[in-house]
Amino acid sequence: MKYLRSIFMMLVLLGPLSLSARTSSEAPLQVKPRHKSGSSAITKKLKQIPPVEPFLTAQAKATIHPPSDLPHIVIDPGHGGEDYGTYSIKSPKYQEKLLTLSSAMMLKRFLNQMGYKTSLTRKDDSFISLEDRAAIANNLKPTLFVSIHYNSAPSVEAEGVEIYYYKNDDSRRRVTKSKELAHDVLKRVLNATQAKSRGVKHGNFAVIRETEMPAILIEGGFLSHPDERSRIKNPTYLKQLAWGIALGIDDYVQKNN
Ligand SMILES: [Zn+2]
């Protein structure tokens, strides 16, 4: 075993180097087994080594900055995975995490059609911590950050759309810009959805507090309000909301470019 392991280590160390010497003009490089003996422990181990190219791609992706002339929006679908957000397992069933993901996908499509570059903090039903969501945005350095949520309250009377921004004294410019974005988006969302307005508010939420660019958190309506819940469960409402957010973002960008 010891002998096999040292041969394996030699192949790992020498493999990519010797390949790169032979194929310096060719990309991508792949570490491939040298022989086809399927039962060999070395072959098995070599097969477990990921190809070089995906690793390099991941490394390169982490350092790519979006072109500065193309507004880049990071869209954050609230919750995901084991974090359901607000939900009901009894009829009428709903899960905030799925509604936020649908809304985010629609918003992404609209923004892309309008010529924006977009990134999502999650593309599927996976759990991403609040810190990681902010870190993803801070690494990408987008123009704006938009988090999408749906609301819930103990009172079934609570109804309407509200948009939060984070207020502090350290980054006055970011506060002003976030507030302006919140107003622009709320105006267009109300127009598109005909929802009730609960206004623009200060909120101390991690994703809008820890991000470094203008950032807002949209509460797109109350799932605890029976009428609003049936509207939200209709994809037309999600589409209207996403369209309103896209128009609001565009209003903001046109003024600030
Ligand atoms: Zn939420």
Side-chain angles (χ1 to χ4, degrees), residues 78-79 84-86 96 100 148-151 217 219:
H79 312 280
Y84 281 58
T86 180
E96 185 190 350
T100 60
I148 303 177
H149 288 252
Y150 289 92
N151 227 332
L217 186 147
E219 289 282 4

